[in-house]
Structure formats: structure tokens, C-alpha cells
Amino acid sequence: MMKMEKQILMGLNGDEAVAYAVKQVNPDVVAAYPITPQTIIVERFSEYVADGLVDTEFVAVESEHSALSSCVGAAAAGARAFTATAANGLALMWEITYIAASLRLPIVMAVANRALSGPINIHNDHSDSMGARDSGWIQIYCENSQEVYDACIEAWRIGEHPDVQLPVMVCLDGFTLSHTMENVLTLPDETVREFIGERRFITVKGHTGEAELRLNPEAPLTMGPLDLQDFYFEHKLQQVEAMKHALRVIPEVDAEYAEVSGRRYGVLHPYRMEDAEVALIGLGSTMGTVRHVVDTLRSEGVKAGLLKMRVFRPFPAEELIEAVGDVPVIGVLDKAASFGAPGGPLYEEVKTTFYDEADRPLIADYIYGLGGRDASPQLIRDIFRRLEEIRARGEVAEKVSFVGVRE
Amino acid sequence: MSEQKPGWRELPRGAVPYKSTEEYETGDWGVEYPEIDRSRCTKCMLCHFYCPEGAIKVREDGYTEVDLRYCKGCGICAEECPVKCIKMVLKT
């Protein structure tokens, strides 16, 4: 048990918070390629390398495909590896995201969420990371730079846990977080290093006997060979199981982190939900705006609530049911569209979660903010007004709405 | 291959093979196999180096020998042999 450390308040934007946390973690390898709005992460980190403040091998790769491939190689060799990307960069990493997860390599990657082209757009929505939701990575969505900093420390402990062994994506909204300076409480370097400790390896039975899951000429293993019909399915089941373990491990690591930092987040964060009559569920920085609107509405006598989903993969279904409780009307905020689908990705999962519940809320989907379209307090107020109409009527007339778009 | 394969709980994580490829005898894949005429062989060992499967060993006496448990019958050795002393023979 560690004691609470004295913390230093720093002015950091989201990208700088990532870079600073990773500097304190001091990973063995960082391989990254700059892309807006993630660029500051790579810039700051390469300054730390140039100034000799980290022991990290910085690999200036020629593409994001190479960035993640380098991390896969490094992590397979037993290194701690980090990378960062956004939007089209993540798209270029695509095939390697699945490989990192299936080879059970606990790489940490920051994604400065940005709308996927085309048409080209550098601003925030969740179309990039939502597309990667089935790649087998743990996904943590952050509300502010403080959460970004904390997630970039916790991520290593979560991913490297012997029961998990999966890569972790820390998602921060492009520009809204990545380029906006905020107060961030930072831990001393030694505290961070003590908290994350050394990378842990699991033991596997390879073709020459028991060996740590890492490439080591003294105890050779083969990683990622042809799997085909007779083994691939079993290996996928192992990934399914690892995600279940992650749902248990994330709060454990979070509780331990609270002991040194005083900050605890959980997998989801309810706000004024106990007696709420209408509530919004969502991800990322917009949740700060929703919280502000909830407070305003409460002062006006509207029983509004907020449920922030911090962890999207693994999806905390049980916790969601418990946190929603008796709230009769739920609005889901989706910052990504799934073309041709019944609704946005978060909406579909929330609805699936409640399908088997005898006592379930009315649920409506609000797709907003695509390409960085502003999610103003007024927009959120309008959505709450619609939720109140649903409550009064007792049914959802329009299941999926696109809000803040010109007709 | 009628052996009982382990279930997902038993299999090593990280999708690492638990068996060596030595146990995976690919020699039955081929349609043809190489036959070396040692009376003309110059012990140059090129067949040993060119074999993509590592199935051609060099013996103590300097001649090469094909391990038919692993030879897939690709014929590269016969193609590369400078004195053409390797002949691909149809399996019967």
C-alpha cells in the first residue's frame, strides 16, 4: 500500500497530458507518426527523448501501419511499447490492431479522436475509435485532460495484468481535449514508476516447454503462425475471456490508483442519477457539458441525470443496468454514425443490454457532433426537452435523431 | 490427424504453437520426390542451401540426403543442381 503523494498542478492540454504521463512511465519503445490532432503527443515526446529525459527508443516511422507494427515487434520482444494516432492514422493501422490484440500484446495507444475522411475533416467525433471497437482493444474514453493523464498511467497496469494481456486505447477528443489547456494534477515520477512497476509476463507452454510469453532466443516461441479452422476459434474465445477479466481488473487497478492519486473513475460514472427522470448516456468530453446542463436543469426543477461511460470495451453491461436503476427515460449520445445500422454504436449496445430486463427504460438515440459540429449547452438542453416529451408521452416516437444538423 | 486437440481453456495464450513443426511431417504433400545420383554428385551442397524446407541435410561423408518426412517435392533442388544429378520421381 502506497501513501498519497504530493502532486504538482500543471497546465497541460490533452496531448501534453498524454506525453507527460508516458514520459513518467518511461516505456522502452515509442513508435509514432504525427497526425492532427495527435501531433503534440509525438512532438513533446520526441523532445523528452532529445533532452535525455527518458530511456525510450523513439522510432520515427514512415506510416501508422509501421508505427503499430514496430510496437507489435517491440512488445513481442518484451518491451513496453507506446504509440498514438488519430482518424486516418488509425485506419492505416487497421490490420495491425487486430494482430496486437490476438497476440496478446499490452501496447498502450492514445487516440486523439477525429472524424474519418472523407470529406477530409480534422475535428472531433468518434468515428475512428468506434470503427476499431471490435479489434480486441480495451477502450477508455476521457472527459478531460486529468482523466487523460490518469488513464495513460492506469492503462499499463490494466493491459499487462496476467489475466488480461490486451492492448489499451486511451481515447481523447481531438481539439476539445487534445489542444485545450487545463489544470492537471501530476504525480511525482517515482510514484508513477512504482505504481506501474515492471512489465509482467505470463507463462505459456510453447514447443520447447514452459516459457514466458515473449520472444527470447533462450526459450524460443513462435508467435502468430497459421491458425486456420482448427485453432483460430479457440484463440478468439481466449480474447473474449480476457475482456471479461478486464472488466474485473479495471476497477481493481482504479482503486489502487486512487490510493496514490486520490482520483477514482470506475468503468462508468453516474451523476445525479438516483432520482433522475430523464438521463443522458455518453462518452468523452461532451459529458462535461452534459454535467453543466444537468446542474442548470436541476436548479430549474427538472430531474435530469448523466451517466458517463468511461470504458466502452469491455462493455460494462451489468454496471450499466445497475447505474440506470429506475430512471424511466434514457437518451444515448452517439458521436459516430453507423450507416445503415439501426442506430449509433453506443445506442445499440445500451439497447441490447436492456432487452432482457423486465423493467427497462425508454431509450432514444441522439447522433450529434459529427465532424466536430459544436455540442453546445443549448443542444444538450434541447435533447433533455425531447426526453421529457418521451416521458410525458410514454413512448419513443423517433428512435434515432440526428441533432445539430441543418435540415 | 485424429488426435484430440486441446480446448480454448487449455491452449497457451498468445496463440503460440505448443508443438514443434518437427512433428508436422509435410512430406506427404508432394507429388514427386527428389532422387540423388551420388555417382555424379560433386558435393557442392547447393541443394542443401536452396531447399526452402531445410529438408536436405549434409552427411558426414559430404553427400547430401533428402529427409522425405519433410520434403514437399517442390523440385528446386533438381532445378538448381549444377550437374543435374537430382531427378524428380513421381510417387506411386
Side-chain angles (χ1 to χ4, degrees):
Chain A
M1 178 115 64
M2 289 184 266
K3 67 173 194 342
M4 189 91 78
E5 297 290 344
K6 185 169 165 49
Q7 300 186 45
I8 300 161
L9 190 64
M10 295 177 76
L12 298 173
N13 62 39
D15 278 357
E16 289 170 333
V18 172
Y20 192 77
V22 176
K23 171 191 144 239
Q24 294 186 305
V25 169
N26 194 21
D28 303 295
V29 173
V30 171
Y33 189 87
I35 181 170
T36 302
Q38 153 269 33
T39 312
I40 305 166
I41 302 173
V42 185
E43 282 176 358
R44 286 292 173 277
F45 198 84
S46 50
E47 284 168 17
Y48 295 141
V49 175
D51 293 344
L53 298 174
V54 286
D55 306 309
T56 309
E57 179 86 23
F58 185 86
V59 191
V61 287
E62 80 285 9
S63 79
E64 287 84 356
H65 190 279
S66 303
L68 193 53
S69 297
S70 301
C71 288
V72 164
R80 274 204 167 114
F82 173 84
T83 188
T85 193
N88 297 40
L90 181 58
L92 188 50
M93 285 181 177
W94 212 255
E95 62 165 326
I96 314 299
T97 58
Y98 285 74
I99 292 168
S102 60
L103 298 188
R104 312 297 294 278
L105 301 172
I107 296 161
V108 174
M109 167 158 71
V111 175
N113 287 112
R114 160 184 156 179
L116 273 170
S117 297
I120 197 161
N121 185 321
I122 57 168
H123 290 282
N124 167 247
D125 67 30
H126 295 156
S127 54
D128 51 1
S129 57
M130 274 302 157
R133 68 189 185 274
D134 292 337
S135 62
W137 287 57
I138 290 167
Q139 288 191 333
I140 300 171
Y141 287 82
C142 304
E143 180 187 327
N144 52 46
S145 294
Q146 182 70 63
E147 286 193 19
V148 171
Y149 170 80
D150 294 328
C152 285
I153 294 168
E154 287 190 0
W156 303 90
R157 286 285 305 278
I158 296 165
E160 292 172 8
H161 191 286
D163 295 341
V164 179
Q165 300 275 309
L166 289 174
V168 184
M169 216 176 269
V170 177
C171 303
L172 59 146
D173 287 338
F175 292 103
T176 319
L177 294 185
S178 69
H179 285 60
T180 307
M181 190 171 287
E182 292 185 314
N183 288 329
V184 177
L185 278 168
T186 59
L187 294 161
D189 290 0
E190 317 80 66
T191 310
V192 173
R193 282 177 205 185
E194 199 184 324
F195 179 77
I196 64 157
E198 293 291 315
R199 184 177 157 189
R200 295 156 81 189
F201 297 95
I202 55 164
T203 304
V204 294
K205 192 178 170 298
H207 66 275
T208 59
E210 297 267 312
E212 280 186 339
L213 182 56
R214 61 196 287 193
L215 295 176
N216 171 12
E218 304 298 320
L221 287 174
T222 304
M223 285 186 177
L226 206 62
D227 223 18
L228 304 188
Q229 299 97 324
D230 47 358
F231 284 105
Y232 184 88
F233 202 169
E234 280 73 21
H235 290 138
K236 293 299 118 178
L237 258 287
Q238 293 181 335
Q239 288 178 247
V240 170
E241 186 76 355
M243 277 290 183
K244 285 184 190 164
H245 290 313
L247 210 45
R248 186 196 81 236
V249 167
I250 293 167
E252 283 173 11
V253 171
D254 201 37
E256 220 182 296
Y257 187 70
E259 285 176 22
V260 289
S261 69
R263 292 180 294 278
R264 189 171 184 167
Y265 301 104
V267 289
L268 43 74
H269 189 84
Y271 182 70
R272 304 187 88 160
M273 285 291 282
E274 305 79 30
D275 62 338
E277 291 170 342
V278 282
L280 280 174
I281 297 180
L283 304 156
S285 63
T286 311
M287 297 309 102
T289 311
V290 177
R291 187 177 291 103
H292 164 74
V293 172
V294 164
D295 285 341
T296 313
L297 288 172
R298 284 275 177 170
S299 71
E300 295 166 10
V302 178
K303 287 186 172 174
L306 156 68
L307 187 52
K308 177 175 80 180
M309 304 284 296
R310 179 171 171 258
V311 177
F312 184 74
R313 280 290 179 273
F315 193 81
E318 294 295 320
E319 293 81 353
L320 175 65
I321 292 168
E322 196 184 326
V324 167
D326 298 327
V327 179
V329 180
I330 294 291
V332 178
L333 288 172
D334 260 304
K335 214 169 189 179
S338 182
F339 308 106
L346 182 57
Y347 166 76
E348 289 184 5
E349 309 229 345
V350 170
K351 256 192 135 172
T352 302
T353 300
F354 282 104
Y355 183 82
D356 290 325
E357 296 302 298
D359 215 10
R360 56 187 182 226
L362 295 169
I363 304 171
D365 191 19
Y366 299 94
I367 296 173
Y368 76 106
L370 301 188
R373 178 64 53 84
D374 193 26
S376 65
Q378 188 54 50
L379 183 88
I380 305 298
R381 279 186 78 101
D382 287 347
I383 296 170
F384 270 116
R385 185 182 45 74
R386 293 199 200 190
L387 293 178
E388 285 195 284
E389 283 168 15
I390 291 172
R391 193 170 79 87
R393 208 183 304 125
E395 62 168 0
V396 182
E398 202 176 354
K399 287 181 180 141
V400 181
S401 319
F402 293 82
V403 293
V405 66
R406 289 186 301 277
E407 290 296 336
Chain B
M1 297 280 275
S2 58
E3 58 168 317
Q4 187 65 39
K5 297 186 186 87
W8 67 269
R9 289 174 206 279
E10 270 178 80
L11 279 173
R13 282 180 286 168
V16 297
Y18 58 94
K19 284 169 97 172
S20 166
T21 49
E22 273 178 359
E23 293 175 47
Y24 191 22
E25 297 187 359
T26 49
D28 57 0
W29 291 17
V31 177
E32 296 178 325
Y33 69 97
E35 205 171 66
I36 305 172
D37 178 359
R38 296 208 172 85
S39 66
R40 292 193 292 123
C41 172
T42 63
K43 302 183 182 178
C44 74
M45 299 190 291
L46 280 180
C47 55
H48 162 73
F49 291 115
Y50 274 108
C51 176
E53 295 300 317
I56 302 181
K57 282 182 237 159
V58 181
R59 304 195 309 207
E60 284 282 310
D61 62 6
Y63 286 113
T64 56
E65 188 174 302
V66 182
D67 190 337
L68 293 175
R69 288 177 303 161
Y70 303 111
C71 171
K72 291 176 182 169
C74 69
I76 288 175
C77 52
E79 183 66 28
E80 295 296 335
C81 177
V83 296
K84 299 291 167 211
C85 76
I86 303 177
K87 192 173 68 178
M88 296 306 290
V89 183
L90 192 68
K91 287 182 185 172
T92 48

